[in-house]
Amino acid sequence: MNLVIIFITLNLIYITTGKNLKVNSIETFVFVDIETTGLRQPNITELAMWITPRNCLLDSQDNMNCRMLNKWTMLFNPGKGIERKASEITGLNNDMLDKYDKFDERAGTNIISYLSHYPRPICLIAHNGKRYDFPLIKKTFDKIQLRVPNYILYSDSLQILRELENEDITKAKKKSFKLEDIYERLFHSKPLVTHAAEADVEVLYKIALFYGNDFIDIAEKFASRFSEIDP
Ligand code: DCM
Ligand code: MG
Ligand code: MG
């Protein structure tokens, strides 16, 4: 009886605080970016993922040549008009995607099945992912009634980098935490390509490599279960 009460209490604490899992052993990092139809009720047009084992992010490795980096990219027919601005920045238009399948049950199942190949837990990392990419991906999965397994976690690199750069929110002139601006601060040049899903993932991956262990630590501190995202 006592055990039951403790179990219920712990669950309640978890549900009411409902946040970070504080995992300390993410085995696989998946850097993710999506392109979409725009800012109003967007659908996904492109998804890219770079999958890397924890080891490849560690400081001591010859990281850019990590032999174990795997990559996935996929285009989708969004089933609705791509806004002009989105088309301009992503280089994608509806004509190009007309003959492609939508982000349907088969695509979703393929993605989860692909991820299930890698050592667990697996943590998805996207820039501003908490507000943009993850809820939209989750909404798309929900629409096709696809359940995301509990070993898939997520963490937002915007949050991670704010902590790594010790953002001083009291300062009048705020630093930009746009992906390309962080990249420029670290590498003293702008990325050549932006707003193509894989190009953005590459930028994010290089930023994560720059911070190595520290990136891993904070990613783990903020990690939560993907299945618990409420779109
Ligand atoms: N987006 C947009 N207008 C912007 C920036 C982004 O419509 N000024 C939409 C379209 C992009 C999507 O957000 O495909 C994801 O942005 P990002 O390329 O930064 O990942
Ligand atoms: Mg993005
Ligand atoms: Mg992008």
Side-chain angles (χ1 to χ4, degrees):
M1 183 63 183
N2 279 346
L3 274 177
V4 172
I5 291 170
I6 290 169
F7 179 75
I8 292 171
T9 315
L10 284 177
N11 263 323
L12 275 178
I13 291 170
Y14 180 73
I15 290 162
T16 45
T17 56
K19 306 194 193 90
N20 308 325
L21 292 171
K22 298 213 171 57
V23 284
N24 56 15
S25 56
I26 291 170
E27 290 282 345
T28 303
F29 284 85
V30 180
F31 297 91
V32 185
D33 189 54
I34 54 170
E35 302 307 330
T36 70
T37 53
L39 299 175
R40 288 181 295 271
Q41 300 277 317
N43 282 354
I44 298 172
T45 51
E46 185 178 31
L47 175 106
M49 302 189 280
W50 279 19
I51 299 102
T52 167
R54 181 189 189 85
N55 273 350
C56 280
L57 289 182
L58 296 179
D59 292 340
S60 57
Q61 304 282 319
D62 179 10
N63 291 318
M64 271 327 279
N65 296 317
C66 177
R67 183 67 187 80
M68 294 177 78
L69 182 62
N70 277 188
K71 300 175 180 182
W72 165 293
T73 64
M74 204 173 211
L75 289 166
F76 306 98
N77 179 347
K80 72 189 292 185
I82 302 175
E83 290 168 25
R84 182 137 51 106
K85 177 73 188 170
S87 191
E88 252 170 51
I89 61 173
T90 64
L92 295 172
N93 62 51
N94 286 99
D95 288 344
M96 289 171 167
L97 302 175
D98 246 9
K99 291 184 179 154
Y100 281 71
D101 278 355
K102 295 190 177 136
F103 197 140
D104 54 11
E105 197 185 337
R106 191 159 52 111
T109 308
N110 280 339
I111 289 164
I112 296 297
S113 160
Y114 177 67
L115 289 175
S116 75
H117 176 75
Y118 294 96
R120 307 164 188 181
I122 295 169
C123 186
L124 309 184
I125 308 275
H127 201 64
N128 198 26
K130 232 171 146 166
R131 291 187 58 188
Y132 194 79
D133 305 59
F134 298 137
L136 192 47
I137 296 170
K138 178 67 163 41
K139 192 171 124 190
T140 310
F141 284 162
D142 286 352
K143 227 191 288 182
I144 53 183
Q145 297 181 346
L146 188 67
R147 211 189 63 81
V148 177
N150 276 343
Y151 59 79
I152 298 185
L153 313 174
Y154 70 94
S155 202
D156 187 337
S157 53
L158 178 60
Q159 203 177 7
I160 297 167
L161 285 149
R162 285 193 153 132
E163 184 148 327
L164 282 169
E165 289 198 17
N166 293 315
E167 184 188 31
D168 183 354
I169 50 170
T170 60
K171 274 217 170 129
K173 194 167 180 306
K174 298 212 170 45
K175 274 203 270 188
S176 160
F177 278 84
K178 275 165 74 176
L179 199 58
E180 63 220 64
D181 295 333
I182 298 170
Y183 183 90
E184 193 177 9
R185 277 202 288 280
L186 299 179
F187 301 108
H188 314 293
S189 64
K190 289 256 185 218
L192 292 177
V193 183
T194 54
H195 305 302
E198 189 177 24
D200 289 344
V201 165
E202 181 172 359
V203 169
L204 180 55
Y205 178 73
K206 286 179 175 164
I207 293 171
L209 284 184
F210 180 92
Y211 285 107
N213 280 331
D214 295 338
F215 188 95
I216 295 180
D217 283 348
I218 301 175
E220 286 175 340
K221 182 171 121 185
F222 290 137
S224 309
R225 268 200 198 101
F226 195 91
S227 60
E228 288 167 7
I229 293 172
D230 180 3

